[in-house]
Amino acid sequence: MNVNRREVLRYLSAGDTPSEALDAQIDRAISLAEGAIRPRSVSGAFRCEAKEDGVFVGGVWFAGSSLGRNLRSCERTFLLAVTLGAEADLLLRRESQRGASNGAVMQAVLTECIEQACDRAERELASALAPGESLRPRFSLGYGDTLLADQKSFFALLPVTKRLGVSLSDSFLMTPTKSVTAFVGIQERNDA
C-alpha cells in the first residue's frame, strides 16, 4: 500500500511542512501499517429503486433522502464492505498505549489506508461495468439523514461477517473499527 503522506497530514491538521519529529512518527506508523494490514473487501450487485425518502435495495428499505438522491439515477447498486482487519485495531491500540501523539498518527495513517482500500475496491467494481455504465460516489450509512441502525439490513444482504469477519455492536458500529460499508450506485454515464 502506498500511503499518501499529504492525506495523513490533512487528517492530522498538520499543514504541509511537518516537524522532523512528526515526520519520523509518520514514517514509523506507515512502516508498521504496511507490515501488518491486509485490506479485504466483499461486494454484490443488487437491484435498487430510489424514492424521495430512501431506497429499496434487494427489496430491503433503507431510509434517508440523502441516500435516495445519491441513487436516484440508478436501477442497480453495489453493496461494498472493506476492512483493514483486526490487525489494524491491534496496531492502533499498541500505538495509543505508547502515547497520544503516536495514537493520533496511527489513526491518521490507518484512515488513509482504509480510504485507499475503498478506492481500490471501487476501481475493481468499475472494471466490471458494462459499456455506458459508471459508478456514483460511495455513500455510507450514518451520513446525511441515513440511519446507522440500517447496518443490520446491509449485513443481512451482504455476507460481511462471513466473508470479512466484521461484526456489528449493539449500537451498529463495526468491529474491526477500520471497516467501511457503502452503497456504490451504477448509472448510465449520461445520467447525473
Side-chain angles (χ1 to χ4, degrees):
M1 184 164 283
N2 188 15
V3 176
N4 183 333
R5 293 176 68 82
R6 174 173 257 143
E7 286 299 300
V8 172
L9 291 169
R10 184 176 69 83
Y11 292 132
L12 290 168
S13 301
D16 290 334
T17 52
S19 67
E20 282 186 34
L22 180 56
D23 221 22
Q25 276 185 300
I26 292 170
D27 286 342
R28 180 177 183 281
I30 289 171
S31 178
L32 289 170
E34 289 177 339
I37 61 171
R38 300 291 176 262
R40 297 179 336 202
S41 65
V42 63
S43 63
F46 295 83
R47 306 262 329 128
C48 70
E49 182 183 357
K51 302 288 186 182
E52 193 171 304
D53 57 345
V55 63
F56 285 102
V57 176
V60 176
W61 178 249
F62 292 90
S65 59
S66 52
L67 179 60
R69 280 191 304 276
N70 182 273
L71 297 177
R72 74 178 175 269
S73 60
C74 304
E75 293 180 7
R76 294 181 305 133
T77 185
F78 287 110
L79 297 188
L80 172 66
V82 181
T83 187
L84 298 183
E87 300 81 7
D89 283 2
L90 181 60
L91 195 55
L92 183 56
R93 254 191 319 276
R94 278 193 213 141
E95 287 303 295
S96 295
Q97 289 171 351
R98 292 186 75 232
S101 65
N102 287 40
V105 169
M106 184 56 74
Q107 181 74 263
V109 167
L110 293 174
T111 298
E112 171 58 8
C113 289
I114 192 66
E115 286 298 315
Q116 279 192 19
C118 288
D119 291 346
R120 184 178 315 118
E122 271 190 78
R123 286 191 298 273
E124 290 173 12
L125 296 177
S127 71
L129 295 175
E133 292 180 331
S134 63
L135 296 178
R136 297 282 304 143
R138 66 180 176 260
F139 193 102
S140 293
L141 292 168
Y143 289 119
D145 61 346
T146 60
L147 305 173
L148 197 56
D150 281 346
Q151 286 279 53
K152 188 173 181 178
S153 296
F154 190 104
F155 274 57
L157 287 172
L158 193 67
V160 179
T161 301
K162 182 177 181 181
R163 296 281 303 279
L164 301 180
V166 176
S167 61
L168 285 176
S169 72
D170 291 341
S171 56
F172 308 105
L173 299 177
M174 291 180 279
T175 302
T177 59
K178 288 302 179 186
S179 301
V180 169
T181 56
F183 298 85
V184 185
I186 303 167
Q187 68 180 9
E188 295 297 318
R189 282 203 180 105
N190 59 354
D191 287 343

